[in-house]
């Protein structure tokens, strides 16, 4: 175990040195290393089972909480549909349907919701959502709809409409 920690520490230092102080999309090596560290060491809850069964009601409740609390960054479908800054974040907002996210244990997903992930933009929902609500979010995350099937969050619809209106006004002059 000590050898693993030493290796991971060395890799982390190397990644930091290689990345420098610039803000950019992580490379494949950096992403792979960060994901390994998150999955194996830093994200707790790996052995904690989800007490919420995947009933239609729990999935629907999870979706409702997701749309209210998570949709602004992750899109209504959990795949960042219609979120204009999703790819511009450093690191980019992940698709929750991706293998990397779906490979987390349920308890790890709940841990991420509860504690957030620093230094990414993922906030902690501890004290804001109840444990039951967080578990229902995990349940919804396991049952995401098809990408794009729920449209885009209303706040971005308004932005798109305003942008289109401004663009049309410039054309007509």
């Amino acid at each position: 175990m000590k050898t693993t920690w030493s290796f991971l520490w060395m890799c982390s230092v190397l990644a930091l040195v290689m990345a420098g102080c610039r803000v950019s999309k992580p490379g494949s090596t950096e992403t792979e290393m960060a994901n390994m560290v998150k999955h194996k060491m830093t994200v707790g809850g790996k052995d904690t089972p989800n007490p919420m069964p995947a009933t239609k009601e729990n999935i629907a409740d999870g979706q409702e909480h997701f749309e209210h609390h998570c949709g602004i960054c992750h899109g209504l479908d959990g795949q960042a549909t219609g979120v204009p800054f999703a790819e511009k974040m450093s690191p980019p907002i992940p698709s929750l349907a991706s293998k990397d996210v779906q490979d987390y244990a349920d308890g790890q997903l709940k841990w991420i919701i509860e504690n957030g992930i620093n230094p990414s933009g993922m906030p902690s929902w501890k004290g804001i959502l109840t444990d039951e609500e967080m578990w229902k979010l995990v349940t919804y995350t396991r049952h995401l709809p098809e990408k794009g099937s729920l449209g885009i969050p209303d706040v971005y619809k308004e932005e798109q409409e305003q942008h289109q209106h401004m663009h049309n006004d410039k054309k007509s002059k």
Side-chain angles (χ1 to χ4, degrees), residues 50-63 136 139-140 143:
N50 186 344
M52 291 289 136
T55 63
K56 287 182 182 181
E57 294 80 20
N58 286 339
I59 294 168
D61 285 351
Q63 181 177 0
K136 287 180 179 182
T139 302
Y140 176 66
H143 296 86

Side-chain angles (χ1 to χ4, degrees), residues 20-144:
C21 293
R22 71 185 192 284
V23 175
S24 61
K25 185 174 180 178
S28 62
T29 302
E30 184 181 3
T31 300
E32 201 173 302
M33 200 170 3
N35 288 337
M36 179 185 68
V37 170
K38 285 188 297 186
H39 280 271
K40 304 279 184 200
M41 298 195 308
T42 60
V43 176
K46 188 172 188 170
D47 296 323
T48 307
N50 186 344
M52 291 289 136
T55 63
K56 287 182 182 181
E57 294 80 20
N58 286 339
I59 294 168
D61 285 351
Q63 181 177 0
E64 186 177 327
H65 287 294
F66 189 91
E67 289 174 0
H68 182 74
H69 299 287
C70 312
I72 193 93
C73 292
H74 290 286
L76 302 176
D77 58 12
Q79 298 166 71
T81 299
V83 179
F85 57 85
E87 286 296 316
K88 293 171 178 56
M89 295 283 292
S90 182
I93 296 171
S95 166
L96 300 182
S98 71
K99 178 178 178 355
D100 181 50
V101 173
Q102 291 296 319
D103 280 350
Y104 280 112
D106 284 357
Q108 288 178 302
L109 291 176
K110 196 262 190 185
W111 187 95
I112 290 169
I113 295 165
E114 185 171 16
N115 297 290
I117 297 179
N118 279 328
S120 79
M122 178 63 191
S124 164
W125 291 95
K126 188 179 211 168
I128 298 167
L129 297 173
T130 66
D131 278 347
E132 182 177 299
E133 291 167 336
M134 288 186 246
W135 282 117
K136 287 180 179 182
L137 285 170
V138 171
T139 302
Y140 176 66
T141 301
R142 297 296 190 205
H143 296 86
L144 293 171

